[in-house]
């Protein structure tokens, strides 16, 4: 798990994501997912760069099955950007560079 990103669960999702006053990027991942582990350093770096502007959280789909179903997560890694309690953008797959992630966030906020 990331040293920078916080963890969110099915139980805490409403409070930490949907009720957040700050846009929140949720990384749907699993420990067994190699592409998820590959993008982790990119997410850590972006979380530092966007500190105070965007919250970054990780949701382990192995232990939390309800939220991925609710948001139609069919493959991982899946990143969903939430703003004002609603999903506003989704990126699926491990084809992610730091500049691509920054563009994904900036283009959707």
């Amino acid at each position: 798990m990331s040293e920078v990103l916080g963890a969110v669960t099915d139980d805490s999702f409403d409070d930490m994501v949907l009720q957040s006053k700050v846009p929140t990027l949720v990384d749907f991942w699993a420990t067994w997912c190699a592409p998820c582990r590959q993008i982790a350093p990119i997410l850590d770096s972006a979380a530092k760069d966007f500190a105070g502007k965007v919250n970054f959280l990780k949701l382990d789909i192995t232990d939390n099955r309800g939220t991925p179903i609710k948001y139609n997560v069919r493959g991982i890694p899946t990143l969903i950007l939430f703003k004002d309690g609603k999903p506003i953008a989704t990126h699926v797959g491990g084809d992610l560079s730091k500049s691509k992630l920054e563009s994904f966030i900036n283009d959707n906020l």
Side-chain angles (χ1 to χ4, degrees), residues 89-103:
T90 302
H91 175 83
V92 180
D95 62 328
L96 193 67
S97 64
K98 186 171 178 193
S99 62
K100 190 172 184 178
L101 177 59
E102 289 170 347
S103 293

Side-chain angles (χ1 to χ4, degrees), residues 13 17 23-28 54 71-73 77-92 100-109:
F13 195 85
V17 179
T24 303
L25 183 77
V26 179
D27 174 22
F28 291 82
V54 177
Y71 291 100
N72 204 27
V73 174
T78 292
L79 305 176
I80 302 179
L81 184 60
F82 290 83
K83 184 176 180 185
D84 299 324
K86 296 178 178 63
I88 59 170
T90 302
H91 175 83
V92 180
K100 190 172 184 178
L101 177 59
E102 289 170 347
S103 293
F104 171 77
I105 294 168
N106 288 324
D107 291 349
N108 290 292
L109 290 184

Side-chain angles (χ1 to χ4, degrees), residues 5 8-10 13 17 24-31 33 35-36 39 43 57-62 64-82 87 89-93:
L5 279 60
V8 64
T9 65
D10 285 344
F13 195 85
V17 179
T24 303
L25 183 77
V26 179
D27 174 22
F28 291 82
W29 76 294
T31 56
C33 169
C36 297
I39 69 167
L43 293 169
L57 298 171
K58 295 178 82 67
L59 186 136
D60 186 334
I61 67 159
T62 303
N64 301 279
R65 298 184 184 263
T67 304
I69 291 169
K70 182 177 181 180
Y71 291 100
N72 204 27
V73 174
R74 295 177 183 234
I76 55 172
T78 292
L79 305 176
I80 302 179
L81 184 60
F82 290 83
T90 302
H91 175 83
V92 180

